[in-house]
Amino acid sequence: PGVFNKIAAMCAESAAEKPTKSPVNETIVEEDAKLIVHESVPTVVESVKKQGIFANMGKDLVKAFNTGVSYFIPVVVIGGVFLAFSLASGTAGDSGMVVTNPFMQNLNTIGMAGIHMMIPVLAAYIAYSIAGKPALAPGFVLGYLANNAVTTPITNAAGEAVSVSTGFLGAMLLGVCAGYFIRWMKTWKVNDTVRTIMPILIMPILSTLALGMVYIYILAYPIGMFMNWLTAVLGSLQGGSALVLGLVIGVMTAFDMGGPVNKTASTFTMAMMTAGVYGPNGAFRVAVAIPPLACGLAALIARDKFDAADKQMGVSAIFMGLIGITEGAIPFAVKDLGHTLPGICIGSAVGAALAMVQGVECYVPHGGMIVALATNNVGLYTLDMAIGTVVAAAILIAMKPKLAAVEATK
C-alpha cells in the first residue's frame, strides 16, 4: 500500500505541473484546405498580404534562377551528350548533319527530347521557386510556348508571316511572371469549396491563359517587328564591309543563344545560301560554337571562380559546342548573365568577323567542328573558332568574380 500511495502522489504532482490548455495556443485544423494553422503563427496568405507580393523580390529572383538552373542542368546534359554522340556519327548534307545508323538515330531522338525539354523545365522551376507547386504546370506550358515559334500578323519582305521564338530569355520572363501571378492568386479571398480546387484547376488555367495571351498578342508582336528590322539591317550589310557583317552576325548569334536574335541571323545566312552565297553561313557556323566552348573552357580553367556544378556543366557545354549547339551556354547565362554575355558576344563577333574577312564558307546549315569538312578551308574554320573561344573565355574569366568574394557579399 505504501508503494501505491507514493506512485499516486507522484502522478498527482506530475498532473499539477502540466500547463493548462490556453485558447491562444489551440491548434485549429481546417479539413477542407488540409492546413494546420496556429493562431500565434500567421498563414502564408496573411504573410504575403502583410509583406506584399513583391517583398524581397531581388533575393527571390536570385533564388528562383538558381533553382531553375539546378533542375535544368541534368536535362541539358542528357540532351547535349546524346546529341554529341549521335551527330558525331553523321555526315554533312544539304539539310545539316545526316545520321543514318538506326541506333544513333534513336540516340538523336532522345537527345533532341532533352534539348526541347530544357527550356520548359527552366521556366517551370523558376515559377515553382516563387509560388510553389501550383506554379509548376503554368511554368512548363509557358516555357514550351516561349521555346516554340508563335506566328504573328507581321509579314516579312517575302510576304510570309513572321514567327517568333524567344528561347531561354522569354522562358525566364514567363517563369517569373507565372510565379508572381500565382503568388497574387493565393491572396484571393474565396470560400472553402473553391479553395480546394484553386491549386489544381483555377490557378493553372487562369495564369496560363492570361500570361499566354499577353505573350502571343502583346510581347510577340514587337519582337516580330524587331526581327524584321534586324533582317533588313543584315541585308543592307551584305555586299558592304565583310568585317562589319561578321561582327554583327557574331554578336547576334551569341546574344540570346537560340532566341529570336540568333534565329534571325540563322534565317539570313540560310537565305544567302539559297542564292549561292556561303560566306555569311561560314561566319555564323563558326560563331554558334563559341559560346558553349568558351563557357566550358572558362569553367575548367578558373577553378576559383566556378563551382563544382559549373565544371560539370562545362564538360557538357564543350560537347555541345563541338556539335554546334549554342544552347550549351544557356546554363551559364541563366546563372550569371551579366558576367557571361559580354564575353561570349565579343568572342563570337571576333570569330565570325575573322571568318568573313578570310572568306571561310560553310556549305551546310549546321555548325561546330563536326561540319569542318563541309567548309572551303578546314584550317581557317578551326582557327577562327579557336581564337573566338579563347577571346570569349579570357573575357569571361576576367569579368567573373571569385567564389570567395561572392560568398562574402551574401
Side-chain angles (χ1 to χ4, degrees):
V3 174
F4 288 113
N5 288 336
K6 289 181 179 180
I7 293 174
M10 291 172 64
C11 291
E13 290 176 3
S14 177
E17 291 175 358
K18 288 182 179 180
T20 58
K21 186 183 290 186
S22 172
V24 176
N25 296 321
E26 184 177 358
T27 300
I28 303 170
V29 181
E30 297 181 4
E31 294 294 339
D32 291 336
K34 302 299 181 183
L35 297 173
I36 298 177
V37 183
H38 295 273
E39 287 189 13
S40 58
V41 181
T43 65
V44 175
V45 172
E46 291 170 347
S47 177
V48 171
K49 286 181 177 179
K50 185 177 180 180
Q51 298 179 8
I53 296 170
F54 299 103
N56 300 318
M57 187 175 181
K59 292 182 179 180
D60 285 347
L61 288 179
V62 171
K63 179 184 174 184
F65 293 149
N66 287 335
T67 301
V69 169
S70 66
Y71 285 97
F72 164 73
I73 290 173
V75 184
V76 176
V77 172
I78 290 173
V81 172
F82 287 172
L83 271 182
F85 280 109
S86 63
L87 292 179
S89 68
T91 56
D94 293 338
S95 59
M97 294 302 294
V98 179
V99 180
T100 56
N101 182 282
F103 177 78
M104 289 299 177
Q105 286 178 341
N106 292 332
L107 205 61
N108 184 75
T109 300
I110 297 172
M112 287 306 299
I115 295 298
H116 290 154
M117 278 297 299
M118 66 182 190
I119 301 300
V121 167
L122 174 66
Y125 283 97
I126 287 175
Y128 167 76
S129 176
I130 296 172
K133 289 182 180 179
L136 268 176
F140 275 115
V141 174
L142 293 169
Y144 178 88
L145 184 67
N147 199 40
N148 288 271
V150 173
T151 303
T152 68
I154 302 170
T155 56
N156 57 23
E160 301 169 341
V162 176
S163 296
V164 173
S165 169
T166 54
F168 87 99
L169 291 175
M172 289 174 66
L173 175 62
L174 288 174
V176 170
C177 291
Y180 280 105
F181 196 96
I182 295 293
R183 183 182 278 190
W184 170 62
M185 292 183 73
K186 285 183 175 182
T187 65
W188 292 4
K189 293 181 179 180
V190 295
N191 60 45
D192 293 339
T193 302
V194 175
R195 183 173 296 280
T196 57
I197 63 171
M198 283 282 287
I200 60 174
L201 183 65
I202 297 176
M203 287 181 179
I205 289 178
L206 286 184
S207 59
T208 304
L209 176 64
L211 295 175
M213 290 302 175
V214 167
Y215 174 79
I216 293 172
Y217 286 104
I218 298 177
L219 185 60
Y221 188 86
I223 292 176
M225 294 179 64
F226 180 63
M227 290 172 64
N228 256 1
W229 176 77
L230 283 178
T231 303
V233 170
L234 287 172
S236 66
L237 293 175
Q238 175 62 24
S241 170
L243 176 64
V244 174
L245 180 59
L247 289 171
V248 173
I249 288 176
V251 172
M252 290 177 64
T253 302
F255 179 75
D256 55 0
M257 290 156 273
V261 178
N262 175 288
K263 290 290 192 297
T264 301
S266 175
T267 302
F268 169 77
T269 60
M270 286 192 285
M272 291 294 98
M273 286 176 65
T274 61
V277 180
Y278 297 97
N281 189 57
F284 179 74
R285 301 307 164 182
V286 167
V288 296
I290 290 173
L293 288 175
C295 290
L297 181 63
L300 295 178
I301 292 176
R303 297 182 177 273
D304 60 339
K305 297 187 175 185
F306 294 88
D307 57 26
D310 293 330
K311 294 179 179 65
Q312 293 173 1
M313 286 193 299
V315 175
S316 175
I318 290 173
F319 272 111
M320 296 179 76
L322 292 174
I323 61 173
I325 305 295
T326 316
E327 287 84 349
I330 290 178
F332 294 92
V334 173
K335 199 170 182 180
D336 190 1
L337 184 64
H339 294 117
T340 302
L341 195 59
I344 62 176
C345 282
I346 294 172
S348 293
V350 169
L354 286 173
M356 280 296 300
V357 170
Q358 294 166 349
V360 175
E361 298 180 348
C362 182
Y363 305 115
V364 296
H366 202 85
M369 282 305 301
I370 57 173
V371 301
L373 295 177
T375 65
N376 65 336
N377 194 318
V378 176
L380 286 178
Y381 179 82
T382 305
L383 179 63
D384 295 343
M385 191 181 299
I387 292 173
T389 298
V390 171
V391 169
I395 295 173
L396 207 163
I397 292 172
M399 293 187 65
K400 186 90 171 171
K402 292 185 177 181
L403 292 174
V406 174
E407 290 295 327
T409 58
K410 290 183 179 179

